[in-house]
């Protein structure tokens, strides 16, 4: 399974609480995120990078969502980027106007966070863009993102939300080394004050539930001085490299 760069979602939202929650939910589902607190900030970001999808509030300071959408659709670099409006404007006229302006979907606040992620995935799929895999098979481990279920050897394993997100993040890019800082940002967000020890505790708990020995791990390998990586072994293959990576180490 080849590692790939996750889709980048640009979240344009002036309410910091909503913005933080949306970014956190998207990261936990395997997406990369960038954010802007107003329309002008969004346009600055779009001049530097082209996201896979834009989540766009309509009532924004300085430059509203209608104008951001118009500019995105006029620019050749961004005109094909899907736009999902995320707004408190629930009337039919606003919905029709949003879709007519070039929106690919329209979500009204307050919204279900799980539905938001599902609709983002659906829009990316319709647009033919790469979305995080909904099911990941790694050896005898099966991860189902849509159902938030994990089985090991066909037996269900109960994981916390953080453990589930951590496993999915690592397993989707086997062999890639994730630094502790990167994992903390993906799971808790850039503004979270989480110590590396807290991440190690979650890794330890996840290994225990997967019956993955920290001294000779089958799947979740510690890379000394850096972080963690996921080793994808065929189901039933017990020929572990007795601390195969000299880089590997127990917690």
């Amino acid at each position: 399974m080849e590692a790939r760069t996750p889709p980048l979602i640009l979240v344009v939202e002036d309410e910091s609480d909503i913005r933080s929650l949306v970014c956190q939910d998207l990261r936990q589902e395997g997406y990369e995120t960038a954010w802007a607190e107003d329309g002008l900030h969004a346009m600055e970001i779009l001049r530097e990078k082209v996201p896979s999808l834009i989540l766009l509030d309509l009532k924004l300071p300085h430059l509203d969502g209608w104008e951001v959408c118009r500019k995105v659709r006029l620019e050749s670099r961004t005109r094909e980027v899907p736009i999902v409006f995320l707004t408190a404007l629930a009337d039919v006229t606003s919905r029709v106007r949003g879709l007519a302006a070039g929106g690919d979907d329209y979500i009204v606040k307050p919204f279900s966070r799980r539905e938001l992620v599902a609709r983002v995935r659906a829009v990316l799929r319709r647009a033919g863009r790469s979305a995080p895999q909904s099911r990941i098979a790694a050896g005898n481990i099966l991860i189902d993102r849509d159902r938030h279920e994990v089985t090991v050897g066909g037996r269900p394993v109960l994981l916390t939300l953080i453990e589930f997100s951590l496993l999915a993040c690592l397993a989707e890019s086997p062999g890639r080394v994730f630094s502790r800082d990167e994992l903390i940002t993906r799971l808790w967000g850039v503004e979270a004050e989480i110590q590396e020890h807290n991440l190690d505790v979650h890794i330890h708990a996840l290994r225990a539930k997967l019956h993955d020995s920290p001294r000779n791990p089958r799947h979740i390998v510690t890379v000394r001085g850096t972080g963690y990586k996921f080793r994808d072994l065929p189901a039933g293959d017990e020929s572990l490299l007795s601390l195969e990576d000299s880089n590997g180490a127990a917690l």
Side-chain angles (χ1 to χ4, degrees):
M1 192 188 304
E2 294 183 1
R4 63 186 180 191
T5 302
L8 173 66
I9 311 298
L10 174 59
V11 180
V12 189
E13 168 62 60
D14 62 326
E15 294 186 50
S16 60
D17 290 346
I18 294 177
R19 189 173 65 233
S20 296
L21 286 174
V22 169
C23 287
Q24 178 180 320
D25 290 342
L26 291 170
R27 283 192 298 267
Q28 287 177 343
E29 292 298 321
Y31 297 99
E32 297 286 354
T33 61
W35 59 267
E37 73 273 14
D38 60 54
L40 290 179
H41 186 196
M43 297 311 300
E44 290 175 5
I45 293 174
L46 289 168
R47 279 192 285 270
E48 297 178 1
K49 59 184 71 175
V50 178
S52 301
L53 180 142
I54 302 171
L55 273 174
L56 181 61
D57 190 9
L58 285 173
K59 300 174 70 175
L60 294 168
H62 307 309
L63 192 69
D64 66 28
W66 304 115
E67 187 63 12
V68 172
C69 179
R70 187 185 73 82
K71 289 178 178 294
V72 167
R73 291 294 177 246
L74 286 175
E75 173 61 50
S76 60
R77 292 174 62 252
T78 58
R79 66 167 56 118
E80 299 299 325
V81 175
I83 295 175
V84 175
F85 290 115
L86 191 62
T87 176
L89 298 175
D91 59 284
V92 174
T93 300
S94 294
R95 288 174 183 263
V96 172
R97 181 185 174 191
L99 297 175
D104 295 88
D105 203 349
Y106 194 102
I107 301 175
V108 176
K109 302 173 184 176
F111 53 88
S112 160
R113 291 160 67 183
R114 289 186 64 185
E115 180 186 3
L116 171 68
V117 172
R119 287 169 74 168
V120 164
R121 181 179 288 129
V123 170
L124 285 170
R125 189 179 299 119
R126 290 199 301 269
R129 311 245 171 163
S130 176
Q133 298 162 273
S134 60
R135 290 167 63 89
I136 304 170
N140 63 347
I141 299 175
L142 179 61
I143 305 164
D144 190 323
R145 273 200 169 104
D146 291 336
R147 298 187 178 189
H148 270 247
E149 294 177 351
V150 173
T151 59
V152 178
R155 295 177 179 273
V157 176
L158 297 179
L159 301 181
T160 66
L161 177 60
I162 291 295
E163 291 165 357
F164 182 91
S165 301
L166 180 56
L167 177 61
C169 175
L170 292 169
E172 190 170 49
S173 299
R176 177 187 168 186
V177 178
F178 289 85
S179 70
R180 285 179 169 83
D181 285 343
E182 181 179 1
L183 288 172
I184 288 171
T185 298
R186 279 175 173 249
L187 297 175
W188 288 283
V190 292
E191 299 176 358
E193 296 181 2
I194 302 294
Q195 298 181 352
E196 291 185 357
H197 173 71
N198 297 100
L199 173 64
D200 295 339
V201 169
H202 286 291
I203 289 282
H204 182 80
L206 178 58
R207 279 175 169 159
K209 292 180 180 181
L210 299 179
H211 304 291
D212 205 14
S213 167
R215 294 191 177 278
N216 195 12
R218 175 179 175 81
H219 287 297
I220 301 176
V221 179
T222 305
V223 180
R224 291 184 193 276
T226 304
Y228 298 98
K229 69 177 181 178
F230 189 87
R231 180 196 291 145
D232 187 1
L233 294 177
D237 184 354
E238 302 300 331
S239 59
L240 296 179
L241 319 157
S242 63
L243 284 175
E244 131 211 296
D245 301 270
S246 48
N247 287 337
L251 287 172

